Amino acid sequence: MTSLHGRAVQLTRYPDGAITPECFEVVDVEVPSPRAGQVVVRNSWTSVDPGLLLRMSARAPAGYFAAFPLGRPLDGILTIGEVLESRHEGFDVGDTVWHASGWRELSVVDADVEQLGGLGTLTKLDVSESEPQWYLGPLGGMGLTAYAGLHVVAALRGGDTVWVSAGAGAVGSLAAQIARNVGNTVLVSTGSPHKVAWLREELGFDLAMDYRARPLRDSLAELAPSGLDVYFDSVGGDHLEAALDAMRRGGRIALCGSISEYQTDPRGPGNLFLAVSKELTLRGFRGSGNLGLLPEVRRRLGGWLRAGSLVWRETVFDGLANAPLALGEMAAGRTIGKTLVRL
Amino acid sequence: MTSLHGRAVQLTRYPDGAITPECFEVVDVEVPSPRAGQVVVRNSWTSVDPGLLLRMSARAPAGYFAAFPLGRPLDGILTIGEVLESRHEGFDVGDTVWHASGWRELSVVDADVEQLGGLGTLTKLDVSESEPQWYLGPLGGMGLTAYAGLHVVAALRGGDTVWVSAGAGAVGSLAAQIARNVGNTVLVSTGSPHKVAWLREELGFDLAMDYRARPLRDSLAELAPSGLDVYFDSVGGDHLEAALDAMRRGGRIALCGSISEYQTDPRGPGNLFLAVSKELTLRGFRGSGNLGLLPEVRRRLGGWLRAGSLVWRETVFDGLANAPLALGEMAAGRTIGKTLVRL
């Protein structure tokens, strides 16, 4: 029997600033035969997330996932595929699954080992009513992160004025629509006229701001003159500072990420004292810390998707070799919705 | 009838950096006869708080109390005194009261006007079992701030490892002792060997750190090797950064103040992303936002004071003219416990 081979993307060095293809190489890897308890998966979709940027550095932040190794396949990236061979009784050939051994064509996965805080552990997926790649979006970590941020962290009450940053991104576009669907006034921000147009015309957000075209403070003052109750932060930096200025007394900030600072030396918000004077709560969270909500997320977001009250957009790059390009385009703000690689 | 006269302290200009006497003047003010609903108070103790520094600037932070005016008596400073003349049925001559018209010898106070979010509204005090100036400390805003920060904000559970900064200050020394009295392991920090000695020997805190003598990160790593559950922040700046590094997953930070940055341009914590990766909560609060807790604070802290399980220290300056000196000494970290001026 000839052995299986598949391509994989590896880092050759950590990017210094922008993500460029020279930091990566595509290698051909021999896929070992599965041992007992393992499953071989032919991957069909692999994920491109802002969080990957944080792991492409020798100084990945404490408490987060570890830095990617150099010269080895990148472990810990969510991926969808079909089971090709199974040596675990819970999985059959042909099953659609997710797992965390992404950015490669074939993966050998230990079925019972927890990955990515539970969000990447090998799991069989129901694709009878859903596209498989939705599990990398609204029915998976993205949906869970958006939902948990709004419901658990920011204690959304209905009637709140909510600002969602990175509103044209995967988590942001979900968070903004969820907040609106449960009865809040929602402002969204993004960084290009093209994405503002998408937010206005496709998602119906009249209160969409282009932070590159006009200072956020001015836009916020105009669109939310009474201030914000909730800010959903995926950007950090100047966005977080503008939010602190605009929050009403007792406001709540869900700290989801700070993509503006993943490729630079972060500086903190200089106006953090406003948290004291206005009695604000800032709460950091991660989707994986709210796994118990996942069934509720799938039920509600799945229902909205099928009913057409939740728009889900993907920017798809074809072929594994384009994964670094996809990441660079996402980091530069040139993708809309969820960035995916189709294998 | 000759009219009443009393001295008052005014600002002549806003301090640029350190608090120096040249920014203040002591003036003789004619005290008007009280109108209906007003009370004349002969003040006996007036308060010196870190928060006053924030108000001695043309750019007082939004949501906080307004900047002090120049060339007029400083309104909005907590003070204890005795009623000299009353035109309000709720107050009799000789009553001990608190009010918010401090840094002067005689005050005419509107009895029914809310001051300082309720904490400075003219209020009759029970001094049968308490020293009157305790109402500027454990039985007033200081006690309420310490108690609320720990109980409401940081959700102290018992068994937590808690770091209280500015541990030799009024709020800090109370917060540290409250946290210990309800069953937590408490680290305290301060900025001189003299204050460390007081924390160790008088308050019994073995885990006391001098942040000027040794980097906080090193002290925290040694004294709390498993990390912190709660940080009570009155300092901001490098203290908050060190806490973010040392927090355990799910940790809680009570943001009470940031005295290290009241006289400089604040810079935010550069490692705030750790709030995301470690799922931390940072919550700003003010004593006045928790007025409903005041009876409980007086009952519990008053009980501990009388039982000797709460040490309360005052640094007293005599005479109104020394109020600016008292403030400067407090800002420079050269006072212990509550800084007061006795009139």
Side-chain angles (χ1 to χ4, degrees):
Chain A
M1 178 181 165
T2 51
S3 62
L4 281 171
H5 282 251
R7 291 185 303 163
V9 175
Q10 304 182 161
L11 275 167
T12 55
R13 55 185 163 86
Y14 293 121
D16 179 18
I19 300 293
T20 52
E22 301 81 61
C23 301
F24 300 87
E25 61 182 352
V26 181
V27 296
D28 186 80
V29 182
E30 183 177 333
V31 178
S33 295
R35 296 190 307 270
Q38 290 187 324
V39 167
V40 182
V41 181
R42 181 180 299 283
N43 299 321
S44 52
W45 296 91
T46 196
S47 188
V48 177
D49 299 304
L52 304 187
L53 301 171
L54 278 173
R55 304 172 63 194
M56 294 184 179
S57 162
R59 50 188 181 100
Y64 201 68
F65 304 117
F68 289 121
L70 298 178
R72 297 217 309 273
L74 306 182
D75 255 316
I77 303 181
L78 276 171
T79 298
I80 305 288
E82 292 197 355
V83 173
L84 201 62
E85 184 179 353
S86 174
R87 293 199 59 197
H88 186 286
E89 60 179 9
F91 299 90
D92 296 317
V93 172
D95 282 351
T96 300
V97 293
W98 80 20
H99 62 86
S101 298
W103 284 42
R104 67 191 86 174
E105 293 172 333
L106 294 168
S107 303
V108 180
V109 184
D110 287 301
D112 293 325
V113 176
E114 183 181 289
Q115 297 286 341
L116 298 178
L119 265 177
T121 311
L122 187 72
T123 302
K124 191 173 165 178
L125 304 172
D126 175 3
V127 291
S128 61
E129 292 189 283
S130 308
E131 297 293 329
Q133 75 276 18
W134 288 3
Y135 286 96
L136 297 179
L139 307 185
M142 304 290 113
L144 179 59
T145 300
Y147 194 85
L150 290 171
H151 283 261
V152 174
V153 176
L156 213 61
R157 300 176 292 204
D160 280 334
T161 298
V162 180
W163 171 26
V164 178
S165 61
V171 169
S173 65
L174 291 172
Q177 293 178 88
I178 295 168
R180 184 176 59 189
N181 285 0
V182 299
N184 301 279
T185 300
V186 179
L187 287 70
V188 288
S189 59
T190 187
S192 77
H194 178 57
K195 291 191 283 188
V196 166
W198 180 69
L199 288 165
R200 286 183 199 273
E201 291 156 25
E202 301 297 320
L203 269 58
F205 286 108
D206 296 330
L207 306 180
M209 308 176 275
D210 181 344
Y211 68 85
R212 290 191 219 264
R214 189 184 182 200
L216 281 166
R217 280 181 175 80
D218 296 345
S219 299
L220 290 167
E222 181 189 324
L223 300 182
S226 303
L228 302 170
D229 300 296
V230 171
Y231 170 52
F232 190 105
D233 185 31
S234 299
V235 178
D238 61 346
H239 281 56
L240 181 55
E241 285 189 334
L244 286 163
D245 278 346
M247 298 307 289
R248 300 175 66 175
R249 181 171 299 278
R252 295 147 283 148
I253 298 179
L255 299 173
C256 179
S258 52
I259 192 171
S260 72
E261 307 189 308
Y262 289 169
Q263 296 166 277
T264 61
D265 283 325
R267 62 174 188 84
N271 56 352
L272 187 58
F273 182 78
L274 292 171
V276 179
S277 62
K278 296 198 281 190
E279 301 176 288
L280 308 178
T281 300
L282 293 82
R283 189 162 168 195
F285 72 100
R286 293 163 65 179
S288 56
N290 299 277
L291 271 185
L293 281 174
L294 193 53
E296 180 180 335
V297 168
R298 287 187 177 158
R299 191 171 61 245
R300 295 193 75 179
L301 273 59
W304 285 333
L305 277 167
R306 287 184 283 274
S309 52
L310 185 69
V311 174
W312 175 242
R313 168 83 167 256
E314 293 157 355
T315 299
V316 176
F317 293 77
D318 274 300
L320 182 66
N322 278 322
L325 172 68
L327 182 65
E329 290 293 292
M330 187 211 64
R334 290 191 289 263
T335 61
I336 289 188
K338 174 66 182 174
T339 306
L340 289 170
V341 175
R342 180 164 44 201
L343 304 181
Chain B
M1 178 179 165
T2 52
S3 62
L4 279 171
H5 282 251
R7 292 184 301 163
V9 176
Q10 303 182 163
L11 274 167
T12 55
R13 54 184 163 87
Y14 293 121
D16 179 18
I19 301 292
T20 52
E22 299 82 62
C23 300
F24 301 87
E25 61 182 353
V26 181
V27 297
D28 186 79
V29 182
E30 183 177 335
V31 178
S33 295
R35 298 190 306 270
Q38 289 186 325
V39 168
V40 182
V41 182
R42 181 181 299 283
N43 299 321
S44 53
W45 296 91
T46 195
S47 188
V48 177
D49 299 304
L52 303 186
L53 301 171
L54 278 172
R55 303 172 62 193
M56 294 185 179
S57 162
R59 50 189 180 96
Y64 200 70
F65 304 116
F68 290 119
L70 298 178
R72 297 217 308 274
L74 307 183
D75 253 316
I77 303 182
L78 277 172
T79 298
I80 305 289
E82 292 196 356
V83 172
L84 201 61
E85 183 178 354
S86 174
R87 293 198 59 197
H88 186 286
E89 59 180 8
F91 298 90
D92 296 317
V93 171
D95 283 350
T96 301
V97 293
W98 80 19
H99 63 85
S101 298
W103 283 42
R104 68 191 84 174
E105 292 171 334
L106 293 167
S107 304
V108 180
V109 184
D110 287 301
D112 293 325
V113 176
E114 184 181 288
Q115 297 287 341
L116 298 179
L119 265 177
T121 312
L122 187 72
T123 302
K124 190 173 164 177
L125 303 172
D126 175 3
V127 290
S128 61
E129 292 189 282
S130 307
E131 298 292 329
Q133 76 274 19
W134 288 3
Y135 286 96
L136 297 179
L139 307 185
M142 304 289 114
L144 179 59
T145 300
Y147 195 84
L150 291 171
H151 283 262
V152 173
V153 177
L156 213 61
R157 298 176 292 202
D160 279 334
T161 298
V162 180
W163 170 27
V164 178
S165 60
V171 169
S173 65
L174 291 172
Q177 293 179 89
I178 295 168
R180 184 177 58 189
N181 285 1
V182 298
N184 301 278
T185 301
V186 179
L187 287 70
V188 288
S189 59
T190 188
S192 77
H194 177 57
K195 291 191 283 188
V196 166
W198 179 70
L199 287 165
R200 286 184 199 273
E201 291 156 24
E202 301 297 318
L203 269 58
F205 285 109
D206 296 331
L207 306 181
M209 307 176 276
D210 181 345
Y211 69 84
R212 290 192 219 264
R214 190 185 182 198
L216 280 166
R217 281 182 174 79
D218 296 346
S219 299
L220 290 167
E222 181 190 323
L223 300 182
S226 304
L228 302 169
D229 300 296
V230 170
Y231 170 53
F232 190 105
D233 186 30
S234 298
V235 178
D238 61 347
H239 281 55
L240 181 55
E241 286 191 333
L244 286 163
D245 278 346
M247 297 307 288
R248 300 175 67 175
R249 181 172 299 279
R252 294 148 283 148
I253 297 179
L255 299 173
C256 179
S258 52
I259 192 172
S260 71
E261 307 189 308
Y262 289 169
Q263 295 165 279
T264 61
D265 283 325
R267 61 174 189 84
N271 56 353
L272 187 59
F273 182 79
L274 292 171
V276 179
S277 62
K278 296 199 281 190
E279 301 177 289
L280 308 178
T281 300
L282 293 83
R283 189 161 168 197
F285 72 101
R286 293 164 65 178
S288 56
N290 299 277
L291 270 185
L293 281 175
L294 193 53
E296 180 179 334
V297 168
R298 288 186 176 158
R299 192 171 62 246
R300 296 194 75 179
L301 272 60
W304 285 333
L305 277 168
R306 288 184 282 275
S309 53
L310 186 69
V311 175
W312 176 243
R313 168 84 168 253
E314 294 157 354
T315 299
V316 177
F317 292 77
D318 274 301
L320 181 67
N322 279 321
L325 172 67
L327 182 65
E329 290 293 291
M330 188 212 63
R334 289 191 290 263
T335 61
I336 289 188
K338 174 67 182 175
T339 305
L340 289 170
V341 175
R342 180 165 43 203
L343 304 180

